[in-house]
């Protein structure tokens, strides 16, 4: 044991943190998601009967033996429906909620186990194990999200394993895994067209010879939009993403070869998107309409990213991986914010009242501005972000007596920053168009926030016979600062938090087992928060059963999240303005609990014919445990026992298909119960709430020849229309029925 500690101490002196994975026994394992930049795997033919399975590992164990709740959306699942919307991809994962906004998933709102889904700011978002958010500590709202078509699979991690990822660990983590460098020369093209001007062009080319390798991948995605402005103008978007990977092994035959990997990426977007929705009555009449007042709204952003990885195994059972990363993100969103004399949200809540009728008519383009109060305030929120850090991990397999261990340790050093410049100009409505009112531009926000963070993670996954137990601990040390250049104020804050965890899995048979665990969840406060502002903290528990065999998975898990302090950081997307913007609000003690169930199976029907089925169900309850008043729009006046907003009681996903090596089809059913949008209790039909949401998606494919596949997808087959949310200004629709047809070719 003394020798063990000396070896670990040496490793600690030169390493930094990243989550580690392992196989069930302490022997070399197949490539893990965290190794995806360096791993080189064969490419699956899009027309092949079945793709090779890659073992997916979480918190040091295979997914079927993980001591906690974890799910994988594999490449075959991603390709069945070719979803571009991350919300749609994640419907098959229990315990994951989403709030629709633009109908296309441009800026996803994802929550897990009851955390606020607004801009996915309470979920740790990763690409190949590295946080991809613009500023995960200083401004965690995810205004950037990678295109799903580039991903080969998605890991969703909840329960005790969540402490391996940060800084948001109350709900869990979502890890998007990009394409590895192929082992031999390989290329693929995917071209798709559809209604509403939909177009997608996706291709990649790569090769490897054992010493060097490369991959180049690019995607163009766009449409003309399904919402309708009175002028008939484009309401769609264009997105582009490029990724290049390179690998180099100086001496592949060395006893401990060095592996170097470089990943570079670029992405941009231009979208004619708005925060302005509709009144509920207008939604019932014309759900896909857009008001004339939003005609100037437009988002533009671009992002660059670089990750350099070095990997070495100095000893047969010791592996050290170092990653240095940097992301730069810049965006400008010009949009209508308010009237000089009225809030748009209040106008749409009661558009027919005498004091709101004129404002409402101006929004619709049916009246002209005749007074300063009726001037529309439109302006860009301009923001620049930097996120960078170094992440080193050590994985060591060993044994002590009858215990097999996979020990992991690491430290992450991270820095991120956001610079905000928000401004507004006055516009007058006349003849259905908007004209500047001639007043000077008003700068409403000019500030900078930054964070330095160091995170340490230690865990030991121990197995003895059929029993696996994984104790672990994570510490976060954060120093933040905030500079307001308008008020000339500067403030800082710092904190250190310790997050222990314990998970266990007991294999009752080779394929069936029981899991249980608990951990301390954490969400950091905004940089420069006042001393009395507390971080979000909770104690989270879960227990359940799992059956896992080949392509069969059944799981039922109960969870209980006990918050000592539930928090929210106000954003424009949740309806906050002026002094409340980016301010943290505390909601005190609360609890969120429920049950998750999932099933995946493939029925063999003879030959290459099979029938895949899948299902996911989530039942969730929530309540505040104290009464309080809050200026946060999603809280308001809260009475003890009120429900937490944006936590649907029921959520269900079912899908079934019939597939052959030559052709196949799938049908997916989704249901999300009406969801409260402001804290409260009582009937939802008397509260601000979303509609019950029911929709069907269908897909089909036909393999024209080896390596060439024709496919078709129909979104929202029954063309149902429902309100997915009212934030920040008015009712927002889901996407209508949308037919898309594509062709894939493996070259």
């Amino acid at each position: 044991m003394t020798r063990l500690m000396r070896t670990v101490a040496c490793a600690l002196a030169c390493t930094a943190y990243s989550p580690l994975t392992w196989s069930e026994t302490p022997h070399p394992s197949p490539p893990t998601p965290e190794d995806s930049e360096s791993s080189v795997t064969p490419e699956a033919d899009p027309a092949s009967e079945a793709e090779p399975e890659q073992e997916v590992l979480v918190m040091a164990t295979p997914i079927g033996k993980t001591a906690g709740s974890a799910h994988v959306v594999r490449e075959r699942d991603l390709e069945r429906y070719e979803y571009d919307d991350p919300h749609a991809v994640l419907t098959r994962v229990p315990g994951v909620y989403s709030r629709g906004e633009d109908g296309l998933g441009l800026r996803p709102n994802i929550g897990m186990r009851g955390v606020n889904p607004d801009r996915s700011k309470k979920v740790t978002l990763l690409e190949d194990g590295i946080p991809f958010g613009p500023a995960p500590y200083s401004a965690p709202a995810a205004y950037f999200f990678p295109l799903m078509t580039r991903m080969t699979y998605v890991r969703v991690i909840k329960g005790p394993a969540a402490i391996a990822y940060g800084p948001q660990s109350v709900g869990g983590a979502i890890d998007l895994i990009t394409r590895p460098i192929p082992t031999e020369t390989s290329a693929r093209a995917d071209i798709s067209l559809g209604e509403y001007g939909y177009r997608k062009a996706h291709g990649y080319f790569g090769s490897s010879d054992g010493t060097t390798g490369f991959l180049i991948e690019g995607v163009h995605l766009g449409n003309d939009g399904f919402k309708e402005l009175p002028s008939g103008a484009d309401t769609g978007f264009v997105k582009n993403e490029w990724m290049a990977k390179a690998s180099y092994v100086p001496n592949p035959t060395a006893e401990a070869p060095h592996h170097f990997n470089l990943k570079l990426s670029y992405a941009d977007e231009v979208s004619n998107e708005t925060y302005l929705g509709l009144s509920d009555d207008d939604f019932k009449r014309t759900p896909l309409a857009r008001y004339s007042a939003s005609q100037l709204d437009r988002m533009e952003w671009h992002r660059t990213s670089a990750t350099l990885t070095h990997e070495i195994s100095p000893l047969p059972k010791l592996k050290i991986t170092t990653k240095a990363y940097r992301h730069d993100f810049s965006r400008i969103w010009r949009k209508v914010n308010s009237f000089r004399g009225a809030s748009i949200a209040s106008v749409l809540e009661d558009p027919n009242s005498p004091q709101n009728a004129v404002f409402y008519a101006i929004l619709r383009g049916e009246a002209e501005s005749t007074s300063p109060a009726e001037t529309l305030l439109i302006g860009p929120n301009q923001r620049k972000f930097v996120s960078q850090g170094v992440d080193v991990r050590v994985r060591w397999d060993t044994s002590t007596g009858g215990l097999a261990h996979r020990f992991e340790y690491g430290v992450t050093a991270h820095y991120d920053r956001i610079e905000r410049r928000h401004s507004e100009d006055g516009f007058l409505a006349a003849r259905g168009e908007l004209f500047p009112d001639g007043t000077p531009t008003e700068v409403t926000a000019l500030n900078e926030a930054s964070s330095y963070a160091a995170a340490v993670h230690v865990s030991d996954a121990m197995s003895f016979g059929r029993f696996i137990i994984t104790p672990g601990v994570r510490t976060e040390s954060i120093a933040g600062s905030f500079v307001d250049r308008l008020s000339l104020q500067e403030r800082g804050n710092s904190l250190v938090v310790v997050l222990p965890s314990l998970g266990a899995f007991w294999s009752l048979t080779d394929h069936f087992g029981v899991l249980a665990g608990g951990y301390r969840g954490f969400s950091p406060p905004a940089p420069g928060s006042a001393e009395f502002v507390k971080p979000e903290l909770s104690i989270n528990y879960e227990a359940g059963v799992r059956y896992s065999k080949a392509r069969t998975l059944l799981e039922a898990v109960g969870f209980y999240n006990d918050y000592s302090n539930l928090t929210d950081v106000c954003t424009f997307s949740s309806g906050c303005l002026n002094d409340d913007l980016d301010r943290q609000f505390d909601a005190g003690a609360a609890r969120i609990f429920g049950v998750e169930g999932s099933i995946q199976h493939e029925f063999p029907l003879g030959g290459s014919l099979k029938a895949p089925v899948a299902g996911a169900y989530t039942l969730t309850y929530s309540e505040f445990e104290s009464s309080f008043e809050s200026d946060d729009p999603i809280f308001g006046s809260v009475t003890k026992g009120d429900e937490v907003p944006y936590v649907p009681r029921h959520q269900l996903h079912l899908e079934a298909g019939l597939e052959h090596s030559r052709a196949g089809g799938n049908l997916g059913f989704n249901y999300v119960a009406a969801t409260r949008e402001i804290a409260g209790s009582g009937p939802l039909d008397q509260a601000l709430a979303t509609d019950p949401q029911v929709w069907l998606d269908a897909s089909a494919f036909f393999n024209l020849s080896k390596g060439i596949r024709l496919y078709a997808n129909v979104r929202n087959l029954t063309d149902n229309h429902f309100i997915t949310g009212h934030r920040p200004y008015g009712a927002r629709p889901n996407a209508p029925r949308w037919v898309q047809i594509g062709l894939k070719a493996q070259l």
Side-chain angles (χ1 to χ4, degrees):
M1 192 66 178
T2 302
R3 182 181 178 185
L4 166 65
M5 296 307 296
R6 283 201 302 266
T7 306
V8 171
C10 292
L12 300 187
C14 61
T15 62
Y17 164 74
S18 175
L20 304 173
T21 57
W22 70 309
S23 58
E24 187 176 355
T25 55
H27 297 288
S29 60
T32 71
E34 290 83 356
D35 300 329
S36 62
E37 290 180 27
S38 57
S39 51
V40 214
T41 59
E43 289 296 319
D45 190 325
S48 65
E49 177 180 346
E51 67 184 59
E53 288 288 339
Q54 179 182 359
E55 186 176 32
V56 179
L57 310 167
V58 174
M59 195 65 170
T61 49
I63 194 77
K65 307 279 187 186
T66 299
S69 180
H71 295 265
V72 177
V73 182
R74 297 182 182 272
E75 188 169 14
R76 63 174 181 268
D77 303 316
L78 295 172
E79 293 194 339
R80 276 179 178 138
Y81 294 94
E82 291 291 335
Y83 287 128
D84 301 312
D85 185 346
H87 294 152
V89 170
L90 294 169
T91 57
R92 61 186 293 120
V93 181
V96 178
Y97 322 114
S98 61
R99 171 171 68 85
E101 181 178 312
D102 49 57
L104 301 168
L106 291 177
R107 279 157 282 283
N109 299 291
I110 301 169
M112 298 169 67
R113 290 187 171 174
V115 302
N116 185 0
D118 180 54
R119 283 291 176 271
S120 310
K121 61 193 177 189
K122 294 291 187 178
V123 175
T124 294
L125 300 172
L126 311 165
E127 180 178 299
D128 295 329
I130 296 296
F132 66 72
Y137 286 83
S138 301
Y143 284 89
F144 164 77
F145 207 94
L147 288 175
M148 297 306 300
T149 192
R150 286 200 302 111
M151 305 305 153
T152 57
Y153 63 95
V154 179
R155 297 189 310 157
V156 179
I157 301 162
K158 299 166 286 183
I163 67 141
Y165 310 88
Q168 311 289 339
S169 61
V170 173
I174 298 174
D175 194 4
L176 311 180
I177 309 303
T178 62
R179 192 174 312 281
I181 296 172
T183 55
E184 56 188 29
T185 302
S186 178
R188 182 187 290 186
D190 178 2
I191 306 296
S192 181
L193 299 172
E195 293 180 285
Y196 304 102
Y198 177 86
R199 64 269 187 194
K200 178 178 73 173
H202 176 202
Y204 66 84
F205 174 67
S207 185
S208 176
D209 62 7
T211 299
T212 60
F214 74 92
L215 173 72
I216 299 174
E217 184 169 14
V219 183
H220 170 83
L221 183 68
N223 62 69
D224 298 334
F226 62 83
K227 298 173 189 173
E228 301 168 358
L229 279 165
S231 65
D234 189 315
T235 60
F237 71 83
V238 172
K239 295 184 73 170
N240 299 285
E241 289 193 14
W242 288 91
M243 181 182 72
K245 289 185 176 182
S247 63
Y248 177 56
V249 184
N251 184 3
T253 61
E255 184 176 346
H258 295 266
H259 296 258
F260 295 93
N261 301 275
L262 177 66
K263 182 174 80 169
L264 304 174
S265 63
Y266 171 84
D268 62 42
E269 174 189 306
V270 177
S271 55
N272 300 308
E273 267 303 328
T274 180
Y275 274 149
L276 182 57
L278 304 172
S279 71
D280 283 9
D281 286 341
D282 281 342
F283 186 94
K284 292 175 183 177
R285 290 189 292 267
T286 54
L288 303 184
R290 251 179 70 173
Y291 292 148
S292 174
S294 69
Q295 61 188 265
L296 300 180
D297 291 11
R298 182 183 181 93
M299 162 74 93
E300 297 184 30
W301 60 254
H302 66 270
R303 178 181 187 266
T304 58
S305 173
T307 302
L308 179 63
T309 303
H310 172 260
E311 183 180 289
I312 188 172
S313 297
L315 298 174
K317 297 182 180 181
L318 178 67
K319 181 178 179 181
I320 303 173
T321 304
T322 305
K323 294 185 180 182
Y325 59 91
R326 178 176 171 117
H327 316 310
D328 290 87
F329 182 74
S330 178
R331 73 168 181 88
I332 299 177
W333 195 348
R334 188 191 198 193
K335 54 186 174 49
V336 58
N337 292 326
S338 66
F339 288 99
R340 285 199 193 275
S343 158
I344 291 178
S346 62
V347 169
L348 294 179
E349 286 174 8
D350 188 13
N352 298 316
S353 67
Q355 65 268 30
N356 289 335
V358 173
F359 296 114
Y360 174 56
I362 292 172
L363 290 177
R364 290 172 55 89
E366 297 172 347
E368 298 186 354
S369 304
T370 59
S371 71
E374 296 165 5
T375 302
L376 283 164
L377 297 178
I378 300 173
N381 287 355
Q382 183 174 352
R383 301 181 182 183
K384 294 183 178 180
F385 304 81
V386 170
S387 176
Q388 61 187 25
V390 177
D391 178 271
V392 184
R393 59 184 173 180
V394 176
R395 181 170 65 209
W396 184 31
D397 299 340
T398 187
S399 60
T400 55
L403 281 178
H405 299 262
R406 173 150 289 184
F407 177 81
E408 63 180 52
Y409 172 84
V411 178
T412 298
H414 177 91
Y415 168 78
D416 59 46
R417 182 181 73 248
I418 176 174
E419 299 175 13
R420 301 180 182 92
R421 186 187 190 278
H422 301 171
S423 61
E424 293 177 335
D425 292 287
F427 283 80
L428 303 175
R431 302 181 300 279
E433 297 185 19
L434 301 176
F435 301 92
D437 71 347
T439 59
T441 298
E442 179 184 1
V443 177
T444 58
L446 186 63
N447 58 60
E448 177 181 321
S450 61
S451 299
Y452 291 89
V456 178
H457 168 79
V458 180
S459 71
D460 180 12
M462 301 176 288
S463 61
F464 179 78
R466 293 184 176 272
F467 192 71
I468 299 174
I469 183 169
T470 309
V473 65
R474 178 183 181 87
T475 64
E476 289 269 5
S477 178
I478 306 169
S481 66
F482 180 84
V483 179
D484 190 329
R485 304 196 184 282
L486 293 181
S487 64
L488 302 179
Q489 294 182 352
E490 183 175 356
R491 56 185 184 268
N493 63 338
S494 62
L495 79 160
V496 177
V497 64
V498 179
L499 309 171
S501 76
L502 179 65
F505 184 82
W506 183 19
S507 297
L508 301 177
T509 71
D510 289 343
H511 306 292
F512 177 75
V514 178
L515 62 94
Y519 72 101
R520 192 184 194 198
F522 168 72
S523 178
S529 298
E531 292 182 2
F532 61 86
V533 172
K534 303 176 182 178
E536 182 168 276
L537 292 170
S538 65
I539 302 296
N540 302 341
Y541 310 91
E542 68 172 12
V545 295
R546 179 190 298 129
Y547 177 86
S548 177
K549 181 180 180 181
R551 292 194 173 184
T552 300
L553 176 67
L554 294 92
E555 184 176 278
V557 176
F559 66 92
Y560 186 99
N561 291 0
D562 186 6
Y563 289 83
S564 58
N565 186 41
L566 186 147
T567 70
D568 183 47
V569 176
C570 254
T571 63
F572 269 109
S573 56
S574 64
C576 291
L577 295 171
N578 303 325
D579 294 340
D580 289 336
L581 189 63
D582 300 310
R583 174 185 168 194
Q584 177 173 306
F585 289 90
D586 294 347
R591 58 178 187 153
I592 299 173
F593 57 96
V595 177
E596 303 168 355
S598 62
I599 179 173
Q600 297 178 42
H601 183 64
E602 285 188 359
F603 293 98
L605 301 178
S608 62
L609 188 64
K610 59 186 179 182
V613 297
Y617 172 71
T618 308
L619 171 67
T620 313
Y621 293 89
S622 67
E623 66 174 1
F624 290 100
E625 298 187 309
S626 61
S627 301
F628 60 93
E629 298 287 334
S630 176
D631 292 330
D632 190 324
I634 73 168
F635 292 152
S637 179
V638 175
T639 300
K640 181 179 179 180
D642 280 352
E643 295 178 344
V644 177
Y646 292 112
V647 181
R649 179 64 55 85
H650 302 281
Q651 187 165 284
L652 176 66
H653 169 81
L654 298 171
E655 65 178 76
L658 188 63
E659 297 179 349
H660 187 269
S661 59
R662 189 71 173 176
N666 291 271
L667 184 67
F669 168 85
N670 297 277
Y671 167 73
V672 180
T675 306
R676 193 178 301 279
E677 295 191 80
I678 186 170
S681 57
L684 287 177
D685 59 2
Q686 300 176 17
L688 184 68
T690 68
D691 287 337
Q693 303 174 30
V694 178
W695 73 98
L696 292 171
D697 292 336
S699 68
F701 70 87
F702 180 75
N703 294 325
L704 301 175
S705 64
K706 182 175 176 59
I708 300 180
R709 168 172 292 184
L710 179 68
Y711 65 89
N713 303 298
V714 184
R715 313 283 188 245
N716 190 11
L717 183 64
T718 55
D719 201 26
N720 287 352
H721 299 287
F722 41 79
I723 297 174
T724 61
H726 289 87
R727 303 289 181 189
Y729 318 129
R732 312 297 291 274
N734 61 306
R737 180 169 52 233
W738 202 326
V739 179
Q740 300 162 4
I741 298 175
L743 184 70
K744 284 186 179 182
Q746 181 84 33
L747 306 177

